[in-house]
Amino acid sequence: MDLALEQARLAGARAEVPIGAVIVAADGTVLAAEGNRTEELHDPTAHAELLAIRVAAAKLGAPRLVDCDLYVTLEPCPMCAQAISFARIRRLYYGAADPKSGGVDNGARIFAQTSCHHRPEVYSGIAESEAAALLRSFFQDRR
């Protein structure tokens, strides 16, 4: 999660919402470390999770990231949660909850839907206070 937090800080420094994501293989190898790039790429889908999934899938040469774990600083939105399911991520670790736009434990609860074909193990609250502080600070500076 430390690497995901560093990616979140880097995203914030680029004037992106400070969210970072890291994908780790079963042997502990970091396959991808990304931060949000929606503003930079002019792409509403350039969330940290999606960017990390794309990089990891390209590295492995496969569309499924079986036995890989995803660390992300904020609860994934519904779009990212669905991509996590499609990618067959083994475990999801996230920091701060997102009561407004979350898609895992809040909001749409993608993994709880009967139409969801793969449900990763989910661990929430990892470095939650630091992840939440990054987001609070970012949005306070913009007000």
Side-chain angles (χ1 to χ4, degrees), residues 48-132:
E49 302 96 319
L50 292 184
L51 296 173
I53 287 170
R54 290 173 188 152
V55 169
K59 272 190 185 169
L60 294 177
R64 290 174 192 81
L65 304 175
V66 178
D67 296 327
C68 292
D69 300 334
L70 171 63
Y71 295 81
V72 62
T73 57
L74 181 66
E75 176 184 356
C77 72
M79 172 182 69
C80 292
Q82 193 67 61
I84 290 163
S85 178
F86 288 157
R88 306 298 195 263
I89 298 285
R90 174 177 62 175
R91 293 184 195 109
L92 166 64
Y93 300 89
Y94 74 82
D98 189 350
K100 269 187 168 177
S101 302
V104 176
D105 291 322
N106 293 285
R109 297 182 180 163
I110 296 298
F111 305 141
Q113 303 304 315
T114 57
S115 59
C116 184
H117 298 294
H118 171 77
R119 293 164 181 84
E121 294 175 34
V122 176
Y123 301 91
S124 61
I126 313 299
E128 181 175 16
S129 59
E130 189 172 352

